Amino acid sequence: MSTIVVIEQDVAMRALFCEWLQAEDYRVQGRSARGAAVEPGIDLVIVDLLNLPTQGAEAVRLVRTIYPGAALIGISTQMSRTLGADAAQARALGVSALVAKPCARDELLAAVADAIGAAA
């Protein structure tokens, strides 16, 4: 069973993502902000990239230092559509996917399955 951390400031959105993931039997930890201490043993981090154009790369770098070895999915309201790992913007950030927010349940779960499968 994979362990996923969801970092999302919006309480309702965080609760919804956690509910979707728990229904698929993932262990899920919802957080309003990233931590400061290194946290090993996490398989995937889903992080809200609040200011994708100007601070997305820095946010990804910080999350990678806190969750070493974890796959990473970025979510953002600044995306017009979800992009997979092969998209230039996702590759530039080094994420498994960039998910447009809001998103459908199936869209998020597909990105999670792809990210966990690629990391295995």
Side-chain angles (χ1 to χ4, degrees), residues 30-114:
R31 311 227 170 111
S32 61
R34 66 181 178 271
V38 173
E39 202 173 323
I42 303 299
D43 300 297
L44 174 67
V45 177
I46 300 172
V47 62
D48 187 13
L49 300 174
L50 297 172
N51 195 337
L52 182 60
T54 60
Q55 297 173 343
E58 178 65 11
V60 168
R61 186 188 67 73
L62 289 171
V63 168
R64 288 220 180 276
T65 61
I66 296 166
Y67 303 98
L72 183 62
I73 293 174
I75 55 174
S76 179
T77 58
Q78 298 169 347
M79 302 289 302
S80 59
R81 64 184 176 89
T82 294
L83 302 174
D86 58 340
Q89 194 171 9
R91 281 194 320 268
L93 288 171
V95 297
S96 298
L98 285 169
V99 177
K101 189 173 79 173
C103 64
R105 180 182 189 274
D106 291 343
E107 194 172 5
L108 179 68
L109 295 178
V112 167
D114 289 347

Side-chain angles (χ1 to χ4, degrees), residues 4-24:
I4 301 173
V5 171
V6 177
I7 303 170
E8 167 64 58
Q9 288 184 351
D10 182 281
V11 175
M13 188 67 66
R14 183 174 65 242
L16 182 61
F17 287 167
C18 290
E19 179 182 310
W20 288 350
L21 294 164
Q22 288 168 340
E24 297 298 313

